[in-house]
Amino acid sequence: MIKLDRIDLKILDILQRDARSTIKEIAGKLNLSTTPIFERIKRLEKAGVIDRYVAILNPTLLGKKLTAFIHISIKDHTKESVEAFVERVVSFDEVIECHHVSGDSDFLLQVLLEDIEKYNQFVMEKLSVVPNISKLESRFSLSVRKKTNLVYIQTGPAK
Amino acid sequence: MIKLDRIDLKILDILQRDARSTIKEIAGKLNLSTTPIFERIKRLEKAGVIDRYVAILNPTLLGKKLTAFIHISIKDHTKESVEAFVERVVSFDEVIECHHVSGDSDFLLQVLLEDIEKYNQFVMEKLSVVPNISKLESRFSLSVRKKTNLVYIQTGPAK
DNA sequence: AATACAATAGAAAAATATTCTAAAAAGTAA
DNA sequence: TTACTTTTTAGAATATTTTTCTATTGTATT
C-alpha cells in the first residue's frame, strides 16, 4: 500500500476536481516547483491511486434523460450462475452501475437511458431475457440532486 | 440544443474513455487535422456537452472500502421542507449520489465511506440528525461489478 | 559531524495546445 | 447549372505544457 503525504493528497484533490489543471498551476498552489508535482503524479498513476482521466459528459444534452435503479433477485445462487448473470448484465451499455448487495434483493443496477419507452424496451428485450431472474423492481430518479466521483480526502494540516 | 455529427460523437466517445488523448491522436483516428478536432472540442465544452474533466481515483487505495445505498422516506413533503432536507444531505462529502426517486421511499443516496464503523458513525451523527426523516433503510454493496461514467453513444455509420 | 537517501529547484528539450491564414467543401438561391 | 455564402478543414507559426536532466537542498540515521 502506497504512502501518501499531505502534498499527494492535495494533488489528488485538485486533479479529481479538474484534471486539466496544469502542473505549473498545481505547483503554484502548493508552493513547489513543477518537478516534484510531475513526479508525484506519475507515482500516483503507477500505484493506481489515480485510475484514469475522463471527460464527464452531460447525459441530458445527449438525450439520456432517464436514470433508473433496478433491484434484482435471482433464483440460483451457485457461483457459476451468479457469474453468468453478472457477465450478461454488465455487458449492457445502459447499465452504468452494478452492485451485488445485501438486503432483500441480490443486485442493484443503475441504468441510464433516453426515456421511459427505451426503459421499457430495455427491460423487456434485454434485461428480462437474462436467465436466472426471479424478481425485478424499478425506481426512477425524478431528479438528480447530487452525483459526483469525488473521493473525499482530508487535506487539513498535520503530516 | 446543439447539433452533433458523427465526428463529434466519436470525439466524445474517445474523451470520455480517456481524457488524456491528445488532439493529434484523435485527429489521427478520425483522419482529420488537428484544427477541426481542437475547435470541435472547444465547441462541445462551451455547449456543455463536455461538462468537465476529472481524474478518477481508486477509492479502495484511499481507504474507502464501503459503498452503501440508503433509502430515505421523509415526513413533510412541502417544497421548503424537501429542499431543506436535500440541502443538508448533499452537503455531506460521504454522499456521492442523491436522487429523488419514485417508489416507497423518497430519496436514494449512495454513500462512500471507510468501513462499517464509519458508516454507523455517519448515520448516527450526521444523517439521522437531519430533520424530517421518517424511514431509513440501508443496503451495502458487497462487490462493485460495474461502475462507469460512460454515456453510451452510437458511433456507427450514418450521419 | 558525516553519510546516505529522498525530495526539490531550475534549466533545457520535446511534445502538445492554440492561433492564424488560406484553401476546400457543402449548402443556398437564382 | 452558376454564383454566392457559410462552414469546415489543412498546414504553418506561436505559445504552453510536459518531460527530462543535473545539481542542490533537506532529512534522517549512525
Side-chain angles (χ1 to χ4, degrees):
Chain A
M1 193 91 150
I2 188 178
K3 265 187 215 164
L4 305 172
D5 63 13
R6 202 181 84 267
I7 296 172
D8 292 320
L9 296 178
K10 286 202 170 165
I11 292 173
L12 292 174
D13 194 55
I14 291 170
L15 285 179
Q16 72 173 158
R17 289 171 200 278
D18 180 7
R20 280 314 225 278
S21 307
T22 66
I23 292 175
K24 199 199 291 183
E25 283 169 0
I26 300 172
K29 285 182 188 169
L30 306 187
N31 286 107
L32 282 171
S33 65
T34 60
T35 309
I37 304 298
F38 174 80
E39 290 184 348
R40 280 165 180 269
I41 291 174
K42 290 303 157 198
R43 185 168 135 268
L44 292 165
E45 289 170 353
K46 281 211 182 97
V49 178
I50 296 176
D51 185 52
R52 60 193 191 281
Y53 299 92
V54 304
I56 302 293
L57 309 187
N58 182 326
T60 306
L61 294 182
L62 288 164
K64 310 285 182 174
K65 294 177 185 162
L66 184 69
T67 296
F69 295 92
I70 310 181
H71 293 263
I72 299 178
S73 299
I74 56 177
K75 301 172 196 163
D76 181 2
H77 288 79
T78 60
K79 189 178 178 190
E80 298 74 39
S81 298
V82 172
E83 283 305 322
F85 171 79
V86 169
E87 199 181 330
R88 287 285 296 273
V89 164
V90 302
S91 76
F92 300 135
D93 294 310
E94 295 89 345
V95 174
I96 58 174
E97 291 199 29
C98 174
H99 297 258
H100 194 179
V101 292
S102 66
D104 329 313
S105 62
D106 296 307
F107 289 92
L108 175 54
L109 311 185
Q110 185 174 166
V111 299
L112 178 64
L113 304 136
E114 278 75 3
D115 50 40
I116 285 273
E117 295 181 36
K118 293 278 185 176
Y119 168 79
N120 188 47
Q121 200 176 326
F122 168 72
V123 172
M124 291 311 207
E125 296 172 14
K126 288 181 156 179
L127 190 55
S128 63
V129 171
V130 177
N132 202 20
I133 294 178
S134 77
K135 202 175 67 179
L136 196 152
E137 231 181 301
S138 299
R139 326 259 150 119
F140 298 103
S141 174
L142 306 175
S143 73
V144 184
R145 306 307 299 258
K146 184 175 187 178
K147 183 168 172 71
T148 178
N149 294 294
L150 291 186
V151 177
Y152 180 55
I153 295 173
Q154 283 284 24
T155 53
K159 185 191 172 182
Chain B
M1 192 92 150
I2 188 177
K3 266 186 215 164
L4 304 172
D5 65 12
R6 202 182 84 264
I7 296 172
D8 292 320
L9 295 178
K10 285 201 170 165
I11 291 174
L12 292 174
D13 194 55
I14 291 171
L15 285 178
Q16 72 174 159
R17 290 172 198 279
D18 180 8
R20 282 310 227 267
S21 306
T22 66
I23 291 176
K24 200 200 289 186
E25 284 169 359
I26 300 172
K29 285 182 188 170
L30 306 187
N31 286 108
L32 282 170
S33 64
T34 59
T35 310
I37 304 299
F38 174 80
E39 291 184 347
R40 280 166 180 270
I41 291 174
K42 290 303 156 198
R43 185 168 135 268
L44 292 165
E45 290 170 353
K46 280 208 182 99
V49 177
I50 296 176
D51 184 53
R52 61 194 193 280
Y53 299 91
V54 305
I56 301 293
L57 309 187
N58 182 327
T60 305
L61 294 182
L62 288 163
K64 311 283 182 174
K65 294 179 183 163
L66 183 69
T67 296
F69 295 92
I70 310 181
H71 293 263
I72 299 179
S73 300
I74 57 177
K75 300 173 194 161
D76 180 3
H77 288 78
T78 61
K79 190 179 177 187
E80 298 73 41
S81 299
V82 173
E83 283 306 321
F85 171 79
V86 170
E87 200 181 329
R88 286 284 296 274
V89 163
V90 302
S91 77
F92 300 135
D93 294 310
E94 295 89 344
V95 174
I96 58 174
E97 291 200 31
C98 173
H99 297 259
H100 193 179
V101 292
S102 66
D104 328 312
S105 61
D106 296 307
F107 289 92
L108 175 55
L109 312 185
Q110 185 175 166
V111 299
L112 177 64
L113 305 134
E114 277 76 2
D115 50 39
I116 284 274
E117 294 182 36
K118 293 276 185 178
Y119 168 79
N120 188 47
Q121 199 176 327
F122 167 72
V123 172
M124 291 313 209
E125 296 173 14
K126 288 181 156 181
L127 190 56
S128 63
V129 171
V130 177
N132 201 20
I133 294 178
S134 77
K135 202 175 67 181
L136 196 153
E137 231 180 299
S138 299
R139 326 259 149 119
F140 299 103
S141 175
L142 307 175
S143 74
V144 184
R145 305 308 299 258
K146 183 175 187 178
K147 183 167 172 71
T148 177
N149 293 294
L150 291 186
V151 176
Y152 179 56
I153 295 173
Q154 282 284 24
T155 54
K159 184 192 175 184

